[in-house]
Amino acid sequence: MKYCIIGGDAAGMSAAMQIVRNEKDADITVLEKGGIYSYGQCGLPYVVGGLIPSTDELIARSIETFREKYGMDARTFHEVKAIDTTSKTVSGVHTKTGESFEVPYDKLLVATGVSPIIPKQWTGLHLKGIYPLKTIPDAEDLMAGLKDVQNVTIIGGGYIGLEMAENVLRLGKKVRIIQRSNQLGNIFDHDFAPLIHEEAEKHGIELCLEEEVLGFKGDDHVQFVKTAKKDYPTDLVIVSVGVSPNTGFLKETDVALNEQGVIVVNETMETSVNGVYAAGDCATHYHRVKKLNDHIPLGTTANKQGRIAGLNMVGMKKPFRGIVGTSIIQFMDLTLGKTGLSNKEAEQLNIPFSEIKITSRNHASYYPDPKKLEIKLTYHKETEKLLGAQIIGEEGVDKRIDVLATALYHEMDVEELADLDLAYAPPYNGSWDPIQQAARRLGK
């Protein structure tokens, strides 16, 4: 069986490894547009900030390992331009030599990921000093650019924008965030946003909210960010306003895409075309709470979907069980955690909801140095089934958000949270865990 995989990162190589492990003498060709395989993109901000000494630390397996140990035809700088699902071929061009190539397949996996959005209507995009952050080469270019600058502007206040703000500040730079909406961290409800804003301002980050970027000014290098309100002086710009799926080469095929250009897959990760699979950031992710296909590109999901795709490609039937939308970020002294639906998401989906909101502590109040936890549980107003949770605090957010993610996965109601047998000792918890304290407020 000839397998072709487009994309040599998380989803693609997770699938490739499952094929290797479950089919003897599998013929696997991997086509990677860049020059690096299988690395942790989520670690890039921390390399930029100096917490991780080198981008080499992020590489899970080298290309040589895939070639020599696992026998894959792992290619680099191979950009796919088209697939023919009738003749079952993949074609494209080598980005270094310009030579064309064509690869036949019996089964195909598309794992092409996403690319950062840089709006084409912005003026001054030709100027030096404007950087996205998605790949190792992006990070290395950005680190070189940061060496001799002082004032850095980050466009976008989502997860990547916040992580970059923290890490650029760690380098001793002055940081400004420009955000189009009226809050940082748009996945959180509006009443949680002040916690994030206060943390940013506490550390000297300049916030410019409700500002629409129009472009950039400068001679050869960027000197100003132009918004609808004013021009902001800057030495360097990091753009983090969203991502777009790398699926343009599929638009002339029968592979179904949603309105955002994301590949629609079923629970086996197969597309609308028999024998063609997709996984990771370029594919849809079934949301267990929404009961709908969603698109929340995360490394954890990419690895899971790649594994599922690989197993199904070799005939080992296994479904992808879906996501509940769990994410977490460190931002300065705070941890920001969310799982499931926010209030505004429930409202958009016309789900009747109520909330429980409390302030608690990460461990027993009498034990030294307790830290505040701000907790919100969103639940179905009629069934009282848990719909989502948001937690912000200095310590103890991670384990609570994971407990709540597990509860969402198993469709628990709020009252059942109070019955969970959670670990307790004064250094770690109170006799009632904070999420159980919140659950006990139900109906009060």
Side-chain angles (χ1 to χ4, degrees):
M1 183 81 73
K2 291 183 179 293
Y3 298 94
C4 182
I5 296 172
I6 309 174
D9 203 0
M13 301 322 292
S14 291
M17 291 305 300
Q18 290 303 315
I19 295 170
V20 165
R21 290 166 180 156
N22 291 287
E23 183 172 311
K24 188 177 180 181
D25 300 323
D27 184 344
I28 303 171
T29 300
V30 184
L31 306 172
E32 167 56 41
K33 180 180 177 180
I36 304 170
Y37 271 58
S38 194
Y39 65 95
Q41 293 181 8
C42 296
L44 292 175
Y46 304 100
V47 177
V48 173
L51 285 177
I52 299 171
S54 166
T55 54
D56 293 341
E57 301 290 327
L58 304 182
I59 298 174
R61 289 190 178 100
S62 68
I63 300 170
E64 290 73 26
T65 298
F66 291 117
R67 291 171 179 166
E68 297 167 11
K69 183 175 181 178
Y70 298 110
M72 300 178 195
D73 181 4
R75 306 184 189 183
T76 55
F77 306 112
H78 277 61
E79 181 177 4
V80 172
K81 296 290 189 179
I83 66 171
D84 187 328
T85 58
T86 302
S87 65
K88 291 191 171 184
T89 56
V90 175
S91 59
V93 63
H94 192 291
T95 60
K96 296 292 186 182
T97 66
E99 295 179 16
S100 60
F101 65 85
E102 184 175 279
V103 176
Y105 70 86
D106 295 309
K107 291 188 178 180
L108 172 67
L109 173 66
V110 181
T112 47
V114 293
S115 292
I117 294 172
I118 299 182
K120 294 180 180 179
Q121 70 269 23
W122 286 353
T123 59
L125 287 173
H126 65 284
L127 295 172
K128 296 176 183 176
I130 302 170
Y131 298 89
L133 182 66
K134 185 65 172 68
T135 66
I136 283 180
D138 287 343
E140 291 173 343
D141 288 345
L142 175 57
M143 286 188 288
L146 282 166
K147 285 181 180 178
D148 300 315
V149 303
Q150 186 58 36
N151 298 301
V152 176
T153 299
I154 297 169
I155 303 175
Y159 271 14
I160 300 300
L162 293 176
E163 288 177 342
M164 287 311 304
E166 174 183 320
N167 282 284
V168 171
L169 198 69
R170 185 176 284 116
L171 297 175
K173 314 298 182 182
K174 185 176 179 181
V175 177
R176 172 192 299 116
I177 300 176
I178 300 178
Q179 171 75 342
R180 186 174 183 177
S181 71
N182 62 1
Q183 71 171 80
L184 302 179
N186 275 330
I187 66 169
F188 291 90
D189 283 325
H190 191 65
D191 57 346
F192 265 44
L195 300 170
I196 308 172
H197 298 169
E198 289 165 10
E199 186 69 8
E201 291 166 351
K202 182 178 80 173
H203 290 274
I205 298 172
E206 179 186 353
L207 299 185
C208 305
L209 304 178
E210 296 184 276
E211 296 232 24
E212 182 180 1
V213 172
L214 302 179
F216 310 98
K217 290 181 177 181
D219 297 325
D220 179 53
H221 194 282
V222 64
Q223 294 173 295
F224 295 91
V225 179
K226 180 178 179 61
T227 75
K229 294 182 179 180
K230 62 181 289 187
D231 293 351
Y232 291 95
T234 194
D235 301 322
L236 184 144
V237 175
I238 300 171
V239 180
S240 179
V241 296
V243 293
S244 177
N246 297 321
T247 56
F249 65 97
L250 295 172
K251 290 182 179 177
E252 302 302 319
T253 73
D254 292 330
V255 176
L257 308 176
N258 70 10
E259 293 180 356
Q260 290 74 43
V262 180
I263 304 167
V264 179
V265 294
N266 62 20
E267 65 176 8
T268 68
M269 309 314 300
E270 194 168 24
T271 71
S272 56
V273 176
N274 185 46
V276 178
Y277 295 77
D281 293 356
C282 65
T284 55
H285 314 131
Y286 179 71
H287 199 297
R288 293 174 64 91
V289 183
K290 295 181 180 179
K291 308 296 183 187
L292 298 168
N293 277 336
D294 208 338
H295 185 236
I296 305 177
L298 292 171
T300 50
T301 305
N303 279 286
K304 291 171 192 170
Q305 285 194 325
R307 174 177 177 268
I308 296 296
L311 290 171
N312 282 287
M313 289 170 78
V314 298
M316 299 176 67
K317 298 298 182 183
K318 186 172 179 63
F320 176 63
R321 301 293 186 184
I323 63 171
V324 294
T326 307
S327 56
I328 194 165
I329 180 176
Q330 176 181 288
F331 179 57
M332 312 310 295
D333 299 326
L334 293 181
T335 300
L336 321 176
K338 177 183 176 290
T339 188
L341 308 184
S342 63
N343 287 3
K344 58 186 174 185
E345 287 174 305
E347 187 172 13
Q348 289 165 0
L349 292 166
N350 295 315
I351 299 173
F353 69 91
S354 290
E355 69 169 49
I356 301 167
K357 189 175 174 182
I358 70 165
T359 300
S360 187
R361 297 289 184 272
N362 66 308
H363 58 57
S365 59
Y366 54 80
Y367 190 83
D369 199 23
K371 304 292 186 182
K372 281 173 53 174
L373 288 173
E374 301 291 343
I375 299 175
K376 178 191 282 191
L377 304 182
T378 300
Y379 63 95
H380 196 289
K381 196 170 188 177
E382 298 166 0
T383 66
E384 298 182 350
K385 185 175 289 186
L386 183 67
L387 295 174
Q390 299 162 66
I391 309 178
I392 294 181
E394 291 186 34
E395 295 180 14
V397 173
D398 50 348
K399 71 173 183 176
R400 271 90 189 189
I401 214 69
D402 282 343
V403 168
L404 290 161
T406 304
L408 282 171
Y409 184 93
H410 291 286
E411 300 186 348
M412 295 174 63
D413 60 45
V414 174
E415 188 174 5
E416 288 176 307
L417 294 177
D419 296 328
L420 292 175
D421 185 17
L422 302 179
Y424 162 60
Y428 304 105
N429 213 337
S431 56
W432 285 100
D433 184 89
I435 62 175
Q436 295 178 313
Q437 295 172 27
R440 292 173 64 193
R441 302 277 184 94
L442 182 66
K444 291 184 179 180

